[in-house]
Amino acid sequence: QVQLVESGGGLVQPGGSLRLSCAASGTTFSIYAMGWHRQAPGKQRELVASITSGGHTNYADSVQGRFTISRDNAKNTVYLQMNSLKPEDTAVYYCNSRFGIWSWGQGTQVTVSS
C-alpha cells in the first residue's frame, strides 16, 4: 500500500517562501510521474505542478515562475519550492502521482496571510 506523507506547510506572509516535502513508500517511486495538488476551501482539488520520472516539469499557469517541483528518487521524495506566495495560494497541498492514482495523504496546510 502506497503511503504519502507531506510536510513543510505553515503560515507565511505574502511574498514569502515555503518548501514542501513528500515522502513516498510502498511503491517503485522512481517510475512514476509525480504531482503536487492543492485544494482551497470550497474549491476542487487541482494539480499545480508535475514532474516525470525523467525530470521534465510542468506547472499550472497560476504558479508558473513562482513554484519549482523537484524529486530525489534515492530518497523517494518529491519537493515543491514555493516563492512569491500570494493569498490565493492558501490551500491544503497534497502530493500523489501525476494522475492521483493512490490514496491521498493528510496533506500540509499552507496559509498565506499578513
Side-chain angles (χ1 to χ4, degrees):
Q1 184 175 354
V2 177
Q3 288 191 319
L4 303 164
V5 180
E6 301 93 345
S7 61
L11 173 64
V12 62
Q13 292 186 341
S17 298
L18 284 173
R19 189 190 193 211
L20 307 184
S21 299
C22 172
S25 60
T27 185
T28 309
F29 173 84
S30 61
I31 69 173
Y32 289 96
M34 295 296 295
W36 279 98
H37 311 249
R38 70 184 180 188
Q39 187 166 22
K43 295 188 177 181
Q44 289 190 333
R45 186 176 288 148
E46 62 172 341
L47 177 69
V48 297
S50 62
I51 183 167
T52 67
S53 58
H56 179 77
T57 59
N58 206 355
Y59 300 92
D61 289 344
S62 58
V63 306
Q64 179 75 47
R66 300 187 297 120
F67 289 11
T68 302
I69 188 172
S70 61
R71 66 191 297 162
D72 185 336
N73 289 336
K75 295 182 178 181
N76 282 11
T77 301
V78 62
Y79 304 97
L80 187 68
Q81 177 66 44
M82 305 187 296
N83 299 328
S84 301
L85 282 161
K86 304 176 180 180
E88 51 263 44
D89 295 319
T90 295
V92 179
Y93 284 71
Y94 304 87
C95 75
N96 207 308
S97 72
R98 161 67 176 84
F99 298 104
I101 64 174
W102 300 312
S103 296
W104 296 92
Q106 83 286 354
T108 186
Q109 175 71 49
V110 172
T111 303
V112 185
S113 175
S114 55

